[in-house]
Amino acid sequence: MAATLKDASAIVGIGQTAFARHLPQSEKELACRAILAALADAGIDPSEVDAFSSYTMEETDEVEVAKAIGAGDVTFFSKIGYGGGGSCATVGHLAAAVATGQATVGVAWRSRKRGSGPRPWKNTAVQLPTPGQWTRPFGLLRPADEIGMLARRYMHEYGATRDHLLNVAMACRNRANENPAAMMYERPLTREMYMTSRMISDPLCLFDNCLETDGALACVIVSAERARDCRHRPVYVHSAAQGLPSQHHGMVNYWNDDPLSGPAWTAARHLWKQADFGPQDVDVAQIYDAFTPLIPLSLEGYGFCGRGEGAAFTEGGALELGGRLPINTGGGGLSEAYVHGFNLINEGVKQLRGVSTAQVPDAATCLVTAGEGVPTSAILLRS
């Protein structure tokens, strides 16, 4: 599989809806609009679609979507678990399907009405999974509470401070300020605003948490050979990986000997093993940012710095345009939109096409990651 996956397929179309705290359309309608926009971007008729991949948490399904967009016979479909951990895996599954002849035109998507919809943890009618039975009765109700615990452990062990988390929040907000599609467009963030904002789950303040967004995104994947005839420069799927470490228990990785060695470390080993380049060769990164501490943890997991050095890596404008590793150039989940990380995939494509609103000059390689803290995934893209 590794020999056939490398650069064997490419993302040739991307699409998205508007992003807002509330959109009137249903999740199904939003999904179909994003998918049709991605197909139009690629110059491919919906009747040619024969593969789908999305998240287990997606409320729309391939049966209804296929009918609504007018797809042909579908020969491959998959769903990826673990919320934001599944984003890049949707592309990886389709890339593998195309590379092995199981499909010819694949569509991955995510549609979500989190801004105007319910909060998953408020559902008290469903029995808690086993890890939750050991944490939620003691107050760890929300993802912010769980990541807050890991953040405090990270601060204790390695001397990270809120200023390091601010560096992450600022980098994402600065890029969103340049992106007219971002929810935080032209809404600057200052250090004073950050330091005086209300706590959500200590040490995480308001600006350490992602947005709550209604919206949808999609991308289209075909073979490398066909990609050369599509409307835009192909963005090749160079490597893809998923990661579920031994003895992992979801976002609360407290049962491991080292809770700060999360799924990124497992995914990264496979990702780089299959690649022709390494972390030092990545021009731009789209790193999953549901919460600011996930950035330093991911920087370490994916090999951009040593263990415990992720916080210091953020210093000196390293994450900004012109820095050591520009990240989340559309604004990310913190400041563009939070749609379980799919906007990071599309932004990676924009960077390698050279059309981002915060373009990294001559960007030719991009790392995109899914949610750290849960079973995760990642892809390497190249132009």
Side-chain angles (χ1 to χ4, degrees):
M1 178 66 70
T4 57
L5 181 60
K6 186 184 297 179
D7 299 334
S9 63
I11 299 175
V12 294
I14 54 175
Q16 66 187 51
T17 67
F19 302 132
R21 188 67 181 265
H22 173 74
L23 293 174
Q25 298 88 357
S26 67
E27 288 185 346
K28 176 182 173 181
E29 181 177 346
L30 292 171
C32 292
R33 288 187 178 196
I35 290 169
L36 291 173
L39 288 165
D41 186 56
I44 295 175
D45 191 88
S47 64
E48 296 189 62
V49 174
D50 57 7
F52 291 99
S53 187
S54 189
Y55 305 54
T56 56
M57 293 184 73
E58 177 67 35
E59 295 292 332
T60 58
D61 63 47
E62 57 275 349
V63 175
E64 292 301 313
V65 168
K67 288 191 295 186
I69 69 168
D73 291 343
V74 177
T75 59
F76 179 89
F77 41 93
S78 71
K79 285 187 177 290
I80 321 298
Y82 309 104
S87 60
C88 294
T90 64
V91 173
H93 282 208
L94 290 176
V98 168
T100 55
Q102 302 301 304
T104 58
V105 177
V107 169
W109 84 97
R110 181 70 170 113
S111 177
R112 200 172 190 215
K113 296 194 71 172
R114 171 57 189 275
S116 60
R119 305 296 176 265
W121 54 84
K122 292 180 68 174
N123 186 354
T124 58
V126 178
Q127 183 174 347
L128 291 172
T130 299
Q133 295 177 25
W134 293 98
T135 57
R136 292 191 181 179
F138 301 96
L140 298 182
L141 299 177
R142 308 161 298 174
D145 303 321
E146 296 164 332
I147 297 300
M149 287 281 284
L150 290 177
R152 183 58 73 189
R153 172 73 173 263
Y154 186 72
M155 289 175 162
H156 174 76
E157 296 232 359
Y158 298 115
T161 68
R162 291 191 65 207
D163 273 303
H164 292 118
L165 302 183
L166 167 65
N167 292 339
V168 173
M170 287 290 291
C172 293
R173 181 62 65 92
N174 289 342
R175 302 293 77 75
N177 288 166
E178 302 170 274
N179 177 9
M183 293 178 69
M184 294 293 109
Y185 178 56
E186 294 184 334
R187 296 179 63 180
L189 175 66
T190 66
R191 186 178 187 277
E192 182 181 8
M193 290 167 62
Y194 176 91
M195 290 297 178
T196 58
S197 66
R198 69 180 187 275
M199 280 289 167
I200 302 300
S201 189
D202 193 346
L204 305 183
C205 71
L206 176 66
F207 299 112
D208 292 310
N209 290 259
C210 62
L211 301 170
E212 295 182 319
T213 307
D214 286 4
L217 303 101
C219 68
V220 179
I221 297 165
V222 301
S223 69
E225 181 179 7
R226 178 165 184 178
R228 290 190 284 270
D229 296 325
C230 291
R231 288 180 172 172
H232 299 282
R233 179 197 310 174
V235 173
Y236 297 99
V237 181
H238 183 70
S239 180
Q242 291 179 263
L244 169 57
S246 174
Q247 296 298 309
H248 183 66
H249 278 259
M251 196 173 293
V252 287
N253 199 30
Y254 308 148
W255 284 264
N256 289 12
D257 291 337
D258 184 358
L260 299 178
S261 289
W265 294 78
T266 302
R269 283 194 293 271
H270 184 68
L271 187 77
W272 297 120
K273 182 174 66 176
Q274 309 300 331
D276 291 340
F277 57 89
Q280 71 279 2
D281 303 308
V282 171
D283 296 323
V284 59
Q286 314 296 334
I287 300 178
Y288 196 91
D289 60 339
F291 307 97
T292 55
L294 300 185
I295 299 295
L297 291 173
S298 296
L299 290 171
E300 295 173 19
Y302 287 98
F304 293 99
C305 57
R307 184 60 193 277
E309 297 175 356
F313 187 100
T314 71
E315 296 172 357
L319 308 181
E320 304 278 356
L321 283 183
R324 294 168 63 186
L325 184 69
I327 67 162
N328 302 6
T329 45
L334 288 166
S335 285
E336 181 187 29
Y338 184 65
V339 195
H340 264 155
F342 211 102
N343 50 322
L344 299 175
I345 298 171
N346 283 16
E347 177 61 21
V349 173
K350 292 174 187 176
Q351 279 288 341
L352 300 192
R353 285 181 177 180
V355 298
S356 172
T357 54
Q359 185 62 44
V360 173
D362 303 317
T365 57
C366 179
L367 167 70
V368 187
T369 75
E372 170 63 332
V374 295
T376 193
S377 55
I379 51 176
L380 289 173
L381 304 176
R382 76 163 188 86
S383 59

